Amino acid sequence: MKQDTSGSRPTPTLEMVAALAGVSRATVSRVVNDVPSVDEHIAAKVRQAILAVNYTPNRAARSLASRRPNSVTLIVPESTSKVFADPFFASVVQGVALYLGETDYTLNMVIASEAKPEKTRAFLLGGNVAGALVVSHHVGDRSWTHLSDYIPMVFAGRPLGEGARYYVDVDNEAAAAGATRLLLKGGRTNIATIAGPQDMPPGIDRLNGWRSAMAEAGLEDSMVEYGDFTLASGAKAMRRLLGSGRPVDGLFVANDQMAAGAYTVLQERGLRIPQDVAVVGFDDDSFATSVNPPLTTVHHPIIEMGKKMAEILVDLIEGKDTERVTQIPTSLVIRESV
């Protein structure tokens, strides 16, 4: 919660008004912005709550509502090279565009770094966009989560340590555990993992899923190396695993791109997939089908995620009630690497 810099009392927020009035945040937003669709009895309760907590509507948010811009922005806090090398981002954009194509809203994209977020913040709060979508959020990217106090925002995956926000996700931990159990069912006992970045929920949750499945089987879970979801980092992590001298007969990798990097190292060392080392990835993107043998992986419905994010954002912009958390199911795609 934001803190008042002049005293010890917290700055009143839409959430505080909603809790006191017993309504949703979206309903408070509609009353604040004078949307006529709210029942007058409910609107009166909201106005009483506004007075009770001394809430002052944000001017930037009111300005955005009155101008009614018809574009939304997709924010990707990553480097340009990473965005264009990873098919995950293209699939999210495809899903968002598919949904927005049936609406009056247009899409623009900002590849932004937390190092210099001021330009992006000024753009978003300048009345240029109706709302924003955030993809590939890191724990340190606090600028974007704070902006959700001023404009509608939806995140791909749960933001770490920021409280309840609107986001669309999959159960990364359960999916990773299921992928690891597949290796266990195949008789693999020396199962390593290449985990993703530990400042992102997918990296953390997929590692926890591997660990939970290993614990269920009574096996050691210390064979862990880390990458950043890129091809090169997967190769480097695989070299470190093999360089430890410990036997590896199974490998769960936190995304398909790192799995493809691990493939190159395994095959350079003369290790056969799956005879010597069985491999399971995560995402089911183009990397899964471009490697030989084709990769068994967790199907991550990324296009569907993008569509759902756009749907929720449009609902928020238009003042409709919507779920804060939407979880989309995953599935295992069995190919030739296990």
Side-chain angles (χ1 to χ4, degrees), residues 259-325:
Y263 259 53
T264 61
V265 175
L266 289 169
Q267 290 166 342
E268 283 171 4
R269 302 292 178 88
L271 294 168
R272 300 166 299 164
I273 304 169
Q275 294 90 336
D276 299 319
V277 182
V279 184
V280 180
F282 202 114
D283 277 343
D284 193 24
D285 60 28
S286 58
F287 283 92
T289 52
S290 65
V291 294
N292 184 31
L295 179 66
T296 293
T297 187
V298 175
H299 176 68
H300 187 182
I302 303 168
I303 293 175
E304 185 180 348
M305 175 181 284
K307 290 171 68 175
K308 192 64 180 178
M309 288 171 63
E311 178 185 351
I312 292 170
L313 183 63
V314 169
D315 284 347
L316 290 173
I317 292 167
E318 297 181 352
K320 299 176 184 177
D321 290 333
T322 185
E323 294 293 328
R324 284 189 175 274
V325 179

Side-chain angles (χ1 to χ4, degrees), residues 74-261:
L74 178 69
I75 303 169
V76 186
E78 297 285 1
S79 67
T80 302
S81 59
K82 188 170 184 179
V83 169
F84 287 101
D86 192 336
F88 173 85
F89 299 109
S91 295
V92 172
V93 171
Q94 183 180 352
V96 171
L98 283 171
Y99 184 83
L100 293 181
E102 302 299 319
T103 73
D104 293 330
Y105 295 94
T106 59
L107 175 67
N108 55 62
M109 183 174 175
V110 173
I111 301 174
S113 167
E114 180 71 8
K116 291 185 177 181
E118 297 83 7
K119 183 177 181 181
T120 302
R121 282 204 301 265
F123 171 72
L124 294 174
L125 295 181
N128 302 290
V129 299
L133 304 161
V134 182
V135 181
S136 195
H137 183 259
H138 296 257
V139 68
D141 298 331
R142 300 184 185 279
S143 300
W144 319 127
T145 51
H146 291 169
L147 287 178
S148 62
D149 290 333
Y150 307 107
I151 63 171
M153 299 190 81
V154 180
F155 291 79
R158 61 182 176 85
L160 278 173
E162 295 290 345
R165 302 281 176 175
Y166 292 94
Y167 65 87
V168 180
D169 208 351
V170 298
D171 191 335
N172 285 289
E173 186 167 339
T180 307
R181 291 188 194 105
L182 180 66
L183 292 166
L184 291 164
K185 288 177 183 177
R188 311 293 169 153
T189 55
N190 299 306
I191 302 173
T193 188
I194 298 176
Q198 295 301 286
D199 65 345
M200 301 179 71
I204 294 169
D205 294 347
R206 293 173 196 179
L207 176 58
N208 287 339
W210 172 80
R211 283 191 163 133
S212 67
M214 295 292 281
E216 288 171 8
L219 296 175
E220 188 179 353
D221 63 357
S222 61
M223 283 199 292
V224 184
E225 288 293 345
Y226 300 90
D228 62 2
F229 288 141
T230 62
L231 188 76
S233 74
K236 290 176 182 177
M238 192 71 245
R239 288 191 182 96
R240 292 193 296 268
L241 284 169
L242 296 178
S244 72
R246 300 175 63 182
V248 176
D249 62 7
L251 179 67
F252 168 64
V253 191
N255 80 332
D256 293 345
Q257 194 168 174
M258 290 196 299

Side-chain angles (χ1 to χ4, degrees), residues 29-30 32-35 58-69 127 129-130 150-152 317:
S29 179
R30 290 201 296 271
V32 166
N33 292 307
D34 299 320
V35 176
N58 177 270
R59 290 182 179 179
R62 294 294 300 273
S63 176
L64 284 173
S66 62
R67 294 182 195 179
R68 296 188 181 278
V129 299
Y150 307 107
I151 63 171
I317 292 167

